[in-house]
Amino acid sequence: MNIDSIQNGVVIDHITAGRGMKLYDLLGLDKLDCSVAIIKNVNSGKMGKKDIIKIDAEIPVNLDVIGYVDPGATVNIIHGGELTEKRTIEMPETLTNVIKCKNPRCITSVEQELDHIFKLTDKAEKVYRCIYCETKAK
Ligand code: ZN
């Protein structure tokens, strides 16, 4: 695909350099059939370097995941070659089934069908904790 001219799709811009791959993984973009491009270490005036993800399809992206990985990112929806929507990202209060608790003694390790839920407990420090065992998310 021509990464500069998406006709219909989603562009996640202003990703902190180095977080593009993590976002790609957590958004499950590897499971898509359409073209997805990750452009790393793009020179950006105000941020120094940034990553960009371009998805060549109009798919719903999980804004909670983006807010968790990188609340400074922006999401642009492209339709008919035009920018039709710009979404601002906020850190979500809760994360459901985005990340897994790493505590081997956590009930979620035993009860496989339980949802993995994390709550934002410290916004300034960006700390999320498991609601079951209070283990901090990495
Ligand atoms: Zn836990």
Side-chain angles (χ1 to χ4, degrees), residues 20-90:
M21 271 314 289
K22 186 173 183 188
L23 212 46
Y24 178 89
D25 286 340
L26 285 179
L27 285 171
L29 299 181
D30 56 322
K31 295 174 189 78
L32 295 178
D33 291 330
C34 63
S35 308
V36 178
I38 303 182
I39 306 142
K40 292 170 69 171
N41 298 320
V42 180
N43 281 311
S44 164
K46 65 172 194 262
M47 300 176 65
K49 290 199 186 302
K50 65 176 181 179
D51 292 354
I52 303 173
I53 296 178
K54 297 191 178 193
I55 305 164
D56 201 13
E58 289 177 89
I59 54 139
V61 288
N62 188 337
L63 298 183
D64 285 353
V65 172
I66 302 171
Y68 165 65
V69 175
D70 198 355
T74 54
V75 175
N76 302 312
I77 313 294
I78 315 289
H79 187 79
E82 306 267 338
L83 174 63
T84 55
E85 204 179 331
K86 219 179 174 102
R87 304 242 175 103
T88 46
I89 305 298
E90 282 175 42

Side-chain angles (χ1 to χ4, degrees), residues 116-135:
H116 289 254
I117 303 172
F118 284 76
K119 267 201 178 316
L120 180 61
T121 55
D122 186 337
K123 200 165 184 177
E125 297 290 320
K126 287 184 66 177
V127 176
Y128 283 89
R129 288 183 189 276
C130 175
I131 63 160
Y132 307 103
C133 70
E134 302 198 333
T135 294

